[in-house]
Amino acid sequence: MKVILAKHSGFCVGVQHAVDTAMSQPENTYVLGEIIHNEGVVRAIKDKGLNVVEALEEVPDNSTVIFRSHGVPENYYSLCKARDIKVIDCTCGFVKRTQKIVKEQYALGRQIVIIGEPRHPEVVGLMGWCDKTAVVISGEGVIPEELQQKELCIVCQTTFSAQKFEKIIKNIQKVCKKTVAVFRTICYTTEERQKEVEGLARTCDAILVVGGLNSSNTNKLYELAGRHCGNVFRLASAEDLDCTKLKNFKSVGIVSGASTPNAQTREVLLKMEENTEVKATTNNEMDDVLAKIDSESKFRKGQLVHATISQATEEGLQILLPFSKKEVALSKDELDCEAYNVADYVARIGETIELLVVELKPSLKLSQKMIKLLQQEEDLRAEIENGKEFTVVCTGTNKGGLTAQFGTYSVFVPAKEIRPGFVKDLTKYEGKTLRLRAIEIKKGAKKEIIASQRVILQEERDARDAARAEREEEFFDSITVGDIVEGKVERATSFGAFVSVNGFDCLAHISDLSWTGVEAVTDVLEIGK
């Protein structure tokens, strides 16, 4: 039997941070809700002496409370402050971003729509960032009529099914008449897991899905696997595994949710290895899989990790990472700062910073500034795909147009899309800021945006022309022959004066300036009067 372990298995960085934080707290610390949806982890936290409560009212004044990765309503922070409750905030970074979007868009007067499960704690928390006015949609059914005439802001539960989200969005856009601002707030690690499980389900004879039965993201993996494979087994732990059901399969894929500890998956693998019926058909690959889960449980490409600054030099920082006993170099070029100053970072030794794993081989490469680029990329997909204007600085030219960079995307502006009319010299745009609208976004291996500045400039020109035409019509409708009007002399010519009347250029011919006749306009009129 061939055993394939999904690359994206076990705790995501947000869950890992929440669990590590909880396990490092002293007894009598309170945890608001289950830190993650995993019975074993929750039991371990309780055994350590922490109190898991379901409501903020259960947390005593002058104590300490942990907010889990799912997040909480906005007013919980002020409620805790009023009661002198210290908050240890473990809200996932992706959830915080969604909270910010909901708050800002609600303040703009838009109706908030949350795609997700109404009872999921993340969704419940998001409701508290818009005065509980959001509409929650979890299925692909009929879109409520109340939404069809409103300006909408749509966000998504970070662990929701990406496929289902896309279908719901299409349904909404078909019937809603006004602005629909879509923010694709599904965590990118969630998407990677979902894509991977579909790939495994198409190629393996059976799939084992490991994780807590009340875990939303794990249940999504189970649902996706079932669409492509007829033999999918849901395991809360190794105890649920019946090895006799696996003996006739040639290949078995193993996946686990973001709230599943690697140790739990390892127990499933060990049980398979120890079982005689499975072991008889298993190659020595099981040892490799077990070794893989032990080694890759540390870091993965694209993973966010929290590291401690231990040294600062002219070349950059030395940092200590979780699960690592030796220091790792972080180049100053990968720091998110305007200008690197050693003294500034010497003062920050011992501080924890968030980094992105960029490369694993030939050596571990980390970056802080790439986090911002990825956030820009997420905002890009959520906003400019819907036609929002964005700006870049032109970095170069080629024979076809201008080039630039936006986040991790390269940008190309064809010569004909720079402005209305022909552009002879492209080089004069180098270093200049371009105002663009996306024509096409390529999301494959070559991330590229093909964009236009011409459409924006043309729309603005058309709008100015239309406004001027409307003003002219109003002007001529408001005057008749014989009216006496006041005007300001703007300029003089040999044949008369141009006078501004209500903002419009009017000609006073030199023959009409005096009954006696004049040789020059300035003999009678003064510029600016």
Side-chain angles (χ1 to χ4, degrees), residues 362-376:
S363 60
L364 183 65
K365 181 180 178 181
L366 302 161
S367 175
Q368 187 182 48
K369 69 179 184 181
M370 279 298 293
I371 297 175
K372 180 181 288 186
L373 291 178
L374 285 175
Q375 289 172 341
Q376 288 178 333

Side-chain angles (χ1 to χ4, degrees), residues 94 188 300-305 330-337 353-359 365-379 405-410 447:
F94 288 97
Y188 72 88
R300 293 186 299 273
K301 188 175 179 179
Q303 178 183 355
L304 291 171
V305 297
L330 178 63
S331 168
K332 63 183 180 182
D333 296 330
E334 296 301 330
L335 290 168
D336 183 16
C337 59
I353 58 175
E354 190 173 51
L355 301 171
L356 182 76
V357 178
V358 179
E359 298 291 345
K365 181 180 178 181
L366 302 161
S367 175
Q368 187 182 48
K369 69 179 184 181
M370 279 298 293
I371 297 175
K372 180 181 288 186
L373 291 178
L374 285 175
Q375 289 172 341
Q376 288 178 333
E377 180 179 315
E378 290 301 314
D379 292 339
Q405 196 73 23
F406 190 95
T408 57
Y409 282 81
S410 60
K447 293 183 174 181

